C-alpha cells in the first residue's frame, strides 16, 4: 500500500517536471515601448522592412550588434554574453532595436584558442546564428552550415572580458532560401 502511494507521488512529480521543463521561457525586462518605425519601401512589398532605429548604426558601438542583408541594416543591443566554463566558446544575445520580438543569438566556438588570455585576430567558422522572431513559427534567419559563415574576433581582453569582432556568411530564411549576411559587428564585455 505504501509502495503504491510512493509510485503515484513519484509519477506525479515526474509529470510535473516533464511538462514544466519543456515549456518555452519568455523573459521580459521592462523598458519604454519602441515607436512604430518599421516601414516597407514603397512599391516593393517583397523587400525587407527598414528600421529607422538602425539607420547609421552599422558601426562598432559598445554593447551593440549589427549586420546587413543587402542594404538593410539590422541592429540591436547585447543583453548578455556568456563564456562556456572551458572558455572555448561563447554566446551573446539581445533584442533588435526595432522590435522586442526579434533579436540575435550568436554562438561562437574557438576550441584551439581558448579565451584564457588576451587574444587578437582569431578566425573561426564554428558558429551558429539565429535571428529569431518570437511571434512567428520560424526564425527570420538561421545558419544551418557553419562552413559558410565566418567569425573574426579582432580583440579579446582577458582582464576586462572585452570582446570586439565581426561576422559574415550565408544563413537561411524561414522558407529555406540562402541569404548573405555581411558587415556583421559586435562589441561588448562578458557579464
Amino acid at each position: 500500500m505504501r509502495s503504491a502511494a510512493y509510485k503515484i507521488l513519484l509519477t506525479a512529480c515526474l509529470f510535473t517536471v516533464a511538462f514544466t521543463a519543456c515549456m518555452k521561457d519568455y523573459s521580459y525586462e521592462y523598458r519604454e515601448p519602441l515607436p512604430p518605425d518599421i516601414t516597407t519601401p514603397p512599391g516593393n512589398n517583397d523587400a525587407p522592412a527598414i528600421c529607422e532605429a538602425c539607420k547609421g548604426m552599422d558601426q562598432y558601438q559598445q554593447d551593440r550588434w549589427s549586420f546587413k542583408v543587402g542594404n538593410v541594416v539590422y541592429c540591436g543591443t547585447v543583453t548578455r554574453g556568456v563564456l562556456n566554463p572551458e572558455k572555448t566558446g561563447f554566446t551573446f544575445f539581445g533584442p533588435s532595436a526595432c522590435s522586442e520580438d526579434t533579436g540575435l543569438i550568436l554562438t561562437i566556438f574557438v576550441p584551439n584558442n581558448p579565451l584564457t588570455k588576451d587574444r587578437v585576430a582569431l578566425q573561426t567558422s564554428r558558429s551558429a546564428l539565429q535571428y529569431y522572431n518570437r511571434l512567428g513559427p520560424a526564425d527570420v534567419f538561421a545558419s544551418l552550415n557553419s562552413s559558410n559563415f565566418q567569425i573574426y574576433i579582432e580583440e579579446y581582453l582577458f582582464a576586462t572580458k572585452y570582446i570586439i569582432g565581426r561576422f559574415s556568411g550565408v544563413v537561411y530564411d524561414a522558407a529555406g532560401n540562402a541569404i548573405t549576411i555581411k558587415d556583421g559587428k559586435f562589441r561588448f564585455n562578458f557579464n
Side-chain angles (χ1 to χ4, degrees):
M1 178 77 99
R2 196 170 174 187
S3 174
Y6 282 124
K7 286 181 182 177
I8 292 171
L9 180 62
L10 180 62
T11 303
C13 288
L14 287 174
F15 276 117
T16 302
V17 169
F19 287 116
T20 58
C22 294
M23 293 174 62
K24 190 168 185 176
D25 181 29
Y26 291 101
S27 175
Y28 178 77
E29 297 173 13
Y30 178 78
R31 72 172 99 156
E32 291 297 319
L34 296 169
D37 59 359
I38 298 175
T39 59
T40 302
N44 188 353
N45 294 332
D46 295 331
I50 295 173
C51 173
E52 294 296 324
C54 288
K55 285 189 177 178
M57 300 299 280
D58 56 346
Q59 304 300 315
Y60 288 109
Q61 295 181 22
Q62 184 63 26
D63 299 323
R64 307 228 9 124
W65 57 263
S66 66
F67 64 86
K68 290 181 181 177
V69 174
N71 291 325
V72 177
V73 177
Y74 294 78
C75 70
T77 57
V78 175
T79 303
R80 183 163 187 172
V82 181
L83 280 164
N84 72 1
E86 298 82 22
K87 304 209 179 352
T88 56
F90 63 92
T91 298
F92 72 88
F93 51 89
S96 166
C98 299
S99 169
E100 290 290 324
D101 295 316
T102 59
L104 179 71
I105 301 171
L106 186 55
T107 300
I108 300 166
F109 301 99
V110 287
N112 299 326
N113 298 292
L115 302 176
T116 55
K117 62 181 182 177
D118 290 355
R119 298 281 188 178
V120 293
L122 293 180
Q123 188 168 352
T124 184
S125 62
R126 297 188 63 189
S127 62
L129 180 139
Q130 176 186 12
Y131 188 73
Y132 63 85
N133 177 2
R134 291 191 298 184
L135 300 179
D139 294 326
V140 179
F141 306 121
S143 58
L144 301 179
N145 182 347
S146 65
S147 66
N148 292 330
F149 203 81
Q150 294 294 312
I151 308 288
Y152 186 79
I153 298 171
E154 294 182 29
E155 183 177 32
Y156 171 72
L157 301 176
F158 180 76
T160 61
K161 306 292 187 256
Y162 167 83
I163 192 162
I164 183 170
R166 60 185 193 263
F167 57 93
S168 63
V170 177
V171 295
Y172 297 87
D173 65 13
N177 300 311
I179 304 292
T180 300
I181 284 181
K182 62 182 181 178
D183 300 331
K185 296 175 178 65
F186 59 89
R187 177 178 164 184
F188 63 93
N189 291 74
F190 289 102
N191 302 347

